[in-house]
Amino acid sequence: MTVQVQMVRFALVGVVNTGTYYGLYLALLTWLPYVAAHVVAFALSMVGSFFLTSYFTYRTRPTWRKFLLFPLTNAANFIVTTSGVYLLVDVAHFGSRYAPLIAAAAAIPVTFVVSRTIMLRPEPVSALEKAERVPQV
């Protein structure tokens, strides 16, 4: 699969993930402050994003290792979106209902590079697996 196809698939997953995040954010905003609603919605939507990214975008098998690395490597995305939401709402006096959408757009390129690196990284081979390999003649 080409990088261009992966970009298109990544964008589609991003649309679904953003819709999921935004729906959760709006629901949580009714009883949480905007930053707390953002954090909870972001965390929940990231789980769904991991599986869509694994199966649909990169056609890889999800593993616990990738699952644990996925949110860690999305730290840049989290920082960009959280900083963006704060700056748009508190500094630029933008509405808290639309600020996350603008901040999420700024994080897209960073997220693609980081997720591609994690999801396509080869899994480490255990010593047992190495020992079981038969040299090809």
Side-chain angles (χ1 to χ4, degrees):
M1 180 182 330
T2 67
V3 174
Q4 291 81 7
V5 171
Q6 290 174 348
M7 284 184 190
V8 169
R9 289 173 176 258
F10 182 81
L12 292 172
V13 169
V15 168
V16 170
N17 188 52
T18 300
T20 301
Y21 158 78
Y22 193 54
L24 289 168
Y25 174 77
L26 290 177
L28 294 167
L29 194 58
T30 61
W31 57 279
L32 289 175
Y34 74 89
V35 173
H38 163 70
V39 170
V40 172
F42 187 93
L44 292 173
S45 65
M46 194 182 317
V47 173
S49 178
F50 168 75
F51 288 105
L52 286 173
T53 299
S54 183
Y55 287 122
F56 180 72
T57 303
Y58 301 115
R59 307 266 179 173
T60 62
R61 182 176 56 91
T63 64
W64 279 108
R65 181 175 184 273
K66 290 177 184 176
F67 182 76
L68 294 173
L69 287 174
F70 193 74
L72 293 175
T73 59
N74 273 319
N77 181 335
F78 182 78
I79 290 167
V80 170
T81 58
T82 302
S83 299
V85 168
Y86 170 76
L87 290 171
L88 287 166
V89 173
D90 282 351
V91 176
H93 306 292
F94 218 80
S96 63
R97 296 179 70 81
Y98 302 107
L101 298 175
I102 297 166
I108 291 170
V110 174
T111 305
F112 177 74
V113 170
V114 173
S115 73
R116 189 172 193 277
T117 301
I118 290 301
M119 300 308 279
L120 297 180
R121 184 178 184 177
E123 290 292 317
V125 179
S126 72
L128 179 60
E129 289 172 322
K130 285 180 187 176
E132 290 176 347
R133 289 186 180 169
V134 177
Q136 294 184 4
V137 181

